[in-house]
Amino acid sequence: MSKKKDFLRTIVENDLKSGKYKEIVARFPPEPNGFPHIGHAKSISINFGIARDYNGRCNLRMDDTNPTKEDTKYVEALEDAVRWLGFTWDGNVRYTSDYFSQLYAYAIELIKKGKAYVDSVSEDEMRQLRGTVTEAGKRSKYANRSVEENLELFERMKKGEFQDGEHVLRAKIDMAAANMKMRDPLLYRIRNVAHFRAGDAWAIYPMYDFAHCLSDYIEGITHSLCTLEFENNREIYDWVLDTLELKPPRPYQYEFARLNINYTVMSKRKLLELVEGGYVNGWDDPRLPTIAGYRRRGYTPESILTFCDQIGIAKANSVVDVVQLEFCIRDDLNTKVPRVMCVLDPVKVTIENYEGKEEIDASYYPADIAKEGSRKMPFSKEIYIERDDFSENPPKGYFRLTPEQPVRLKYAYIIKCKEVVKDDSGNIVEIKAEYYPDSKSGEDRSGIKVKSAIHWVSVADAKQVEVRLYDRLFKSEAPEGIEDLNPDSLKIIKNAFIEPAVITERPDERFQFERQGYFYAEPQDYSDEKPIFNKIVGLKDSWGKKTTKERRGRSKTTEAKKVQIDGEVAPMNEAQQALFDRYTQELKLNSEVANTLARDEKLSSFFEEEALKEHSTPVNIANIVTNEVARELKQKEIAELKFQPKQIAQLAAMIDDATISTKIAKEVFETMNESGEDPKEIIESRGLVQISDPAVIAPIVADIIEKNPDNVEKFRAGNKKLLGFFVGQVLKATQGKANPQVVNKIVVEKLNEG
Ligand code: ATP
Ligand code: MG
């Protein structure tokens, strides 16, 4: 583990060291009364993550003690969520209801010890007797019942001889306790209803405070990790286990902070309200913070786990900026997915001096991404471009097509506008244009300067697709309820046009639509006749501008960076433009990176001042600066950083000479960021050096191939997507240390041998 240890891992480690436990057993104990949300993902990643890190086990337990709200569909959703996040629970899924008989036996023991009694006061009276924070409570007169009477009544409660609310079983603790929860808490109540698993067997159901600690004990849990709101329940947890004098070892409860995210609600009750009220389309609506929602929207499990890692484990509640989650998915997809072209709001361009048709080579990945692949884009006389990539009355700083200003069609030619055709109401229906035959990308001899390149598709070859654009479900940062819903959270575009390779070649399920954002082939409604894509996230945070006032706390430079909205860009000043030109032309940075750097003074000075002097690897340095360093500089000034620009340059150089992979580099960066150590030292002391030797990698590949005969067969039968699976397995087996390019090559060779 490269990360600093959190307080829970410190506790766990000490308990192992001291011999308190031989093995760590954790559990994730949801109540199956709703779909799990990203808060649960945090809990899952903590419980399963700790078990994994210390070679322990983690149970999945349905805390099903509330018979009226629970349902098997929620059980399935919970299982799906844990599996999708990549974890495996120990043994079968467990249920608190499986322990009902054992719990009942423990309750009888408490009664026999004189530590529990059947109370029969009304709810009102019970409340009054409980006292207040400043005033001790009083015990009800029924607390004096004999053990025999309590045993008899409790058995009759179980048999269903009473109405709901007639009696309860209470612990006999202390009606004057400062912790109100310790004032003779309820252990059982009568509910004459069937349970979704236990059926009619029980007319009484145990309360959380009684059931949870004992279920933990029954399962041999060592560390019972829960959220802060259970802090006051810890005393009961301990009281029950201690009073029953159970055989050690017993579990202990520790609390951590709940995850809250702005612009969203995160309680199952509120989510249920949205689902049942029809404000969203089911629990897996891509706008919901449910795991099923993120999954359907196109988030990857990796991005969610990275997010959980980044937010860490704290002891104080706070609200995390949703921008951070969006950053994680963007960062993950950036290195993984092909870039393609899709025009969302098409306007036709007729290139009058172009005849015939050609196929244009276009790479799926930009140069700084370690993946290869390309497709042929059909080019013809009629193309679609984005309506707002043309302007008759351009604002200052508009770089795209205007009646005076030519523009490049990415990967293809430069065009200029000749004539604008409008309908009776003045809407543009067509742009007549001309192209420069000697301006083809890669062999441009035209000498024409353009300020930007836009995406396009060929009218005759493009496929019409539906695109679902999602925005935040709530318009306010701390939403209360449905009155804060964002009315524009879903926009459906029926007539977007996408280049044909996306449909026929299917290079992936997730894509970057150039200049638009990241998209996902809708997992349920997609069909070949009617392809549908979900927008996962934009290329940049598009809320920065709208909410500038709310974010006044942020630094000016970050603010400036946030003004870049998907597609639309605020004009650069002269100095920024000069930097941008130098970055793209001399240093060959891609325009997105160059743009980010040029517009952010803090970032560009960090990049320029020293990082560049040190080494000649500007592309890698720029990538680390715009991703990793930028994240830190959002909260800090340069002087507050633990690392020096020089060290970033060293890190970049090691990516450059293949000493480490970009993935490992991220890990190294995290350590540099915390400790200020030199990257070389970190890499050496942790043995992180990249493995590029084919002689070392080949046997690992052979092993993975041998272990996965089904997938080998599928690959050989034509499912080329499985290449990623094999490469991933090898990377996993080497903890990310194998050189992906070498792995890729060997995997391809070996798979094609058979
Ligand atoms: P909600 O309040 O959303 O209904 P809950 O706490 O009632 O959630 P449970 O099903 O009881 O949900 O929770 C299962 C586990 O997940 C518990 O250990 C709980 O502490 C944890 N958990 C729930 N919400 C969060 C959150 N927002 N952040 C971290 N952990 C959470
Ligand atoms: Mg709950």
Side-chain angles (χ1 to χ4, degrees), residues 612-623:
L612 262 187
K613 280 186 214 149
E614 194 73 13
H615 289 272
S616 54
T617 51
V619 172
N620 283 332
I621 297 176
N623 285 342

Side-chain angles (χ1 to χ4, degrees), residues 664-678:
I664 296 284
K666 286 196 176 154
E667 227 180 293
V668 175
F669 174 83
E670 294 307 330
T671 310
M672 290 167 63
N673 187 31
E674 270 167 23
S675 68
E677 261 177 285
D678 266 344

Side-chain angles (χ1 to χ4, degrees), residues 79 101 153 215 305 552 669 674 683:
E79 292 177 18
S101 301
L153 278 172
S215 303
L305 291 173
R552 223 177 252 149
F669 174 83
E674 270 167 23
I683 289 162

